[in-house]
Amino acid sequence: MFGLHSTIWLAAGTVVFAVMELNYAAAGALGEVLSARLAAAVLRLTAAVFADATVTLFSGAKTTPEARELMLALLRWTAPFFLFDAWQIVFVYALRGLRRTVLPMVLSTTCYWAVGLDGGIALAESMGLGASGIWVGFCSGLTCAAGLLGIMAIRTTG
């Protein structure tokens, strides 16, 4: 999707996805609620406060200033949503432990595709937000998934 618009969008998306994968791996590896929240807070803080260093770590030396600025903007905007990413991981694991797997999969898929991807495309194209619109959509889909999975986990245990 990003590559269809420009190589700069593709580069910025690749960098932010790499940081998000790191967030996912850290939260998943730690596995417990407090540890996942701590990992998300540390990575969110690192990505937000040390955005320049994070972009430098995940991008090449030949990165253009325009691409670097887009990477920084997307990373700073996306960093707060790492918390929602950690929460949705916690809720997925909790629901898996409660033997609730089908509905969480359907909810997550719907949030990612309908809210995240479709919303991101609408914001990028219709609202003219470009790459930022795609990320607003992705983050909205992630937040939607975390919220619905949280409600489901609370209702299942309550």
Side-chain angles (χ1 to χ4, degrees), residues 23-117:
N23 181 63
Y24 178 81
L30 296 173
E32 295 183 20
V33 175
L34 182 58
S35 298
R37 288 178 61 195
L38 179 61
V42 168
L43 287 169
R44 183 176 69 244
L45 180 64
T46 301
V49 174
F50 302 107
D52 284 321
T54 304
V55 167
T56 299
L57 179 65
F58 285 94
S59 64
K62 296 181 182 180
T63 303
T64 66
E66 183 183 8
R68 185 174 178 76
E69 283 304 312
L70 183 58
M71 291 172 191
L72 286 167
L74 294 180
L75 187 58
R76 285 185 180 126
W77 198 93
T78 306
F81 288 91
F82 290 167
L83 180 62
F84 295 107
D85 187 36
W87 273 109
Q88 66 117 14
I89 293 166
V90 168
F91 293 135
V92 163
Y93 281 119
L95 289 165
R96 186 181 301 159
L98 295 166
R99 297 184 182 182
R100 299 288 309 267
T101 56
V102 175
L103 187 55
M105 178 191 66
V106 172
L107 289 175
S108 295
T109 302
T110 302
C111 289
Y112 300 150
W113 285 91
V115 176
L117 186 60

